[in-house]
Amino acid sequence: MALKKVNVTKAYETENSIFIEGNNFTNFCQVYVDETKINTTFHNEHLLEVSKKDLKKGDAFTVKIVSKAPRILQTSGEYVYQGVKQ
């Protein structure tokens, strides 16, 4: 099965979390900041959530689909978080 390309379109913060919007997310998606995996919650194919303590304004991040092996199956383009409030 071919994976659809993962991409990030928007990132914004609420009181406690940062939400990452995009396309083709799966429950195997993980957010990486400078190649360090951060705790990621999958909501649906268009929405991921991370803690505000793990992602700061100006951080560049990618979303990776990681198999159970673990092997990186796909990586999004880099996105720089701007600290936008929702």
Side-chain angles (χ1 to χ4, degrees):
M1 180 177 95
L3 294 170
K4 294 181 181 178
K5 182 152 179 55
V6 173
N7 71 310
V8 175
T9 57
K10 181 180 177 181
Y12 59 90
E13 67 181 62
T14 61
E15 186 175 335
N16 299 311
S17 298
I18 295 172
F19 290 92
I20 299 167
E21 291 185 1
N23 296 299
N24 305 315
F25 296 152
T26 74
N27 57 337
F28 292 101
C29 281
Q30 291 290 323
V31 175
Y32 283 74
V33 177
D34 296 324
E35 298 304 313
T36 301
K37 181 174 73 169
I38 62 175
N39 190 29
T40 305
T41 301
F42 169 79
H43 286 282
N44 60 52
E45 68 179 291
H46 301 290
L47 189 65
L48 301 174
E49 180 181 356
V50 297
S51 171
K52 285 175 71 170
K53 68 178 176 55
D54 293 327
L55 189 62
K56 305 292 184 214
K57 183 177 180 180
D59 282 349
F61 70 89
T62 57
V63 175
K64 299 182 182 194
I65 299 177
V66 183
S67 71
K68 290 183 180 181
R71 196 176 101 226
I72 295 170
L73 303 176
Q74 195 178 118
T75 303
S76 72
E78 191 173 79
Y79 190 95
V80 177
Y81 179 59
Q82 299 298 322
V84 176
K85 296 189 184 322
Q86 183 74 0

